[in-house]
Amino acid sequence: MLSPTARMHPRPIVILGIAACALAAVLALVRTGAVGASGDTVLALVPAGKTRAGKLITLKLVASNASDLAGFQSTVQFDGGALRLTGASVEADLGRGGRGLIPLGPVMGEGSVALGAATCPIPDCDAAPGQPAARVESGVSGKVELGTLEFYSETPGSYQLSLDRVLLVDPQGNQLPVRVEPMVLEVRP
């Protein structure tokens, strides 16, 4: 038994303090994405072919390294003075695992377009209630083409496009971690 005047040795207190600081630093790095991002889904705009002035330019919205993906939303921001959006669509790839696809958009704005889609656990989301249907509980994984955007530009140059308001979800509606890749579209003469 310790006497009332006995003191705890300072070394354990110092070690506990250092451990607490180290844990706080690791948590801060994970929260900012500096650690642990290697397993995250990467969302990017990818040119589907040549990007030349005076020609139709097709970009794919692609999720790479996806795991159990069942829904998404994203807004693509672009320079509406330099790039003219001529079309946008949601791709069926999100439903390739057998889940029914419900496209949400596109919704075109001034210098932006919003795309999204959800899936339901049966192949035909519009099936009459009570009809037997095999349930698909899992989302898709790997590389998933989510959407297609088509632009036209008369002027060669470098144009910044950004993905904003990005949300990826699993079949239960839980938000999935995502890393968004920036894009500079190089339009050649």
Side-chain angles (χ1 to χ4, degrees), residues 23-75:
L23 179 60
V26 168
L27 289 175
L29 287 172
V30 169
R31 202 173 300 129
T32 61
V35 171
S38 64
D40 293 353
T41 300
V42 177
L43 192 62
L45 289 166
V46 180
K50 295 183 180 188
T51 57
R52 298 209 177 268
K55 304 283 184 187
L56 193 62
I57 299 167
T58 302
L59 302 178
K60 297 284 187 177
L61 179 61
V62 177
S64 300
N65 199 33
S67 179
D68 205 20
L69 181 61
F72 82 97
Q73 70 180 33
S74 178
T75 299

Side-chain angles (χ1 to χ4, degrees), residues 52-117:
R52 298 209 177 268
K55 304 283 184 187
L56 193 62
I57 299 167
T58 302
L59 302 178
K60 297 284 187 177
L61 179 61
V62 177
S64 300
N65 199 33
S67 179
D68 205 20
L69 181 61
F72 82 97
Q73 70 180 33
S74 178
T75 299
V76 180
Q77 303 283 347
F78 57 91
D79 179 355
L83 298 171
R84 185 173 71 219
L85 181 67
T86 62
S89 61
V90 172
E91 294 294 326
D93 203 19
L94 188 62
R96 74 171 180 238
R99 294 176 63 89
L101 183 69
I102 305 166
L104 307 169
V107 177
M108 298 180 192
E110 191 67 36
S112 70
V113 60
L115 289 173

Side-chain angles (χ1 to χ4, degrees), residues 10-26:
R11 181 172 279 165
I13 294 172
V14 170
I15 291 172
L16 285 174
I18 291 171
C21 288
L23 179 60
V26 168

